[in-house]
Amino acid sequence: MKNTAIRRLSPAQLRFCQKKRMNREIVTLAVFAARWFLTEDMYYTDSFRRQKCLEKLRELLGGPDRPGLLQKKMNREMDGILDRLKADFPDLRYLDQLIFTHAAAGLTNDLSSRLAGLSSARAVSVLKSRLRERILRSGSPYTEEYLVLLPSKGCRFGEEMLYLHNLKYRTSWKQ
């Protein structure tokens, strides 16, 4: 039914709807970028700029003190998966839930550790492994759903981003 409604839209209406959806998806990134450039324009110190940017990132992706937009959107878009996770594991720590959402979103262990305030990427890996084992042993009807979001191997998004930014794999486009 939804496809039929879209086909009836004029090309201009369709592009407007697509633009609106795209704006919703990138608005938080745009706000972050605007704040970053503002800190540069105001000649703030690096430590102050880092603090402000980390606060904004944690507002978007969650941090050790509170959930971010990522967690709220994930719960809303995935039929209350975080509520179900908490119901299946009542003693689940907030930190474990945060790491779960970061893994599901495809963040690297390093990025997740920095956002969560953990000591290293290895600490995130250990938390993910323990949570995965706990989910496997639980007998929850949502076990398979949880495990899909908490892969045993590092996420492709993170690996691809690391690959793209690693200089030894770059080739010069000018020959």
Side-chain angles (χ1 to χ4, degrees), residues 90-102:
D91 59 337
L92 186 70
R93 297 177 310 162
Y94 169 72
L95 184 62
D96 293 320
Q97 190 175 7
L98 180 67
I99 298 303
F100 175 83
T101 61
H102 288 171

Side-chain angles (χ1 to χ4, degrees), residues 78-98:
M78 294 183 176
D79 302 320
I81 191 162
L82 298 179
D83 294 336
R84 283 185 274 135
L85 184 68
K86 189 66 177 164
D88 284 347
F89 304 96
D91 59 337
L92 186 70
R93 297 177 310 162
Y94 169 72
L95 184 62
D96 293 320
Q97 190 175 7
L98 180 67

Side-chain angles (χ1 to χ4, degrees), residues 36-47:
W36 174 269
F37 292 127
L38 177 66
T39 62
E40 285 189 352
D41 291 344
M42 300 293 287
Y43 298 104
Y44 291 141
T45 63
D46 285 342
S47 61

Side-chain angles (χ1 to χ4, degrees), residues 26-126:
I26 67 163
V27 68
T28 52
L29 179 59
V31 168
F32 175 77
R35 291 207 178 156
W36 174 269
F37 292 127
L38 177 66
T39 62
E40 285 189 352
D41 291 344
M42 300 293 287
Y43 298 104
Y44 291 141
T45 63
D46 285 342
S47 61
F48 183 78
R49 185 175 29 242
R50 185 178 189 281
Q51 174 194 350
K52 289 298 175 190
C53 289
L54 187 57
E55 285 173 10
K56 190 55 159 172
L57 282 172
R58 285 179 172 166
E59 182 183 316
L60 300 174
L61 302 173
D65 52 345
R66 68 179 188 275
L69 293 175
L70 171 65
Q71 289 76 28
K72 293 171 187 169
K73 183 173 183 172
M74 179 185 245
N75 202 39
R76 185 179 64 242
E77 300 285 327
M78 294 183 176
D79 302 320
I81 191 162
L82 298 179
D83 294 336
R84 283 185 274 135
L85 184 68
K86 189 66 177 164
D88 284 347
F89 304 96
D91 59 337
L92 186 70
R93 297 177 310 162
Y94 169 72
L95 184 62
D96 293 320
Q97 190 175 7
L98 180 67
I99 298 303
F100 175 83
T101 61
H102 288 171
L107 302 184
T108 63
N109 287 350
D110 182 58
L111 179 55
S112 188
S113 72
R114 291 170 189 260
L115 291 168
L118 295 172
S119 60
S120 67
R122 181 154 172 74
V124 172
S125 182
V126 168

Side-chain angles (χ1 to χ4, degrees), residues 84-85 87-91 130-144 146-147:
R84 283 185 274 135
L85 184 68
D88 284 347
F89 304 96
D91 59 337
R130 289 178 182 166
L131 182 57
R132 195 176 305 104
E133 287 299 317
R134 190 172 172 192
I135 290 169
L136 280 168
R137 287 178 291 160
S138 72
S140 167
Y142 304 109
T143 297
E144 204 172 311
Y146 297 148
L147 292 176

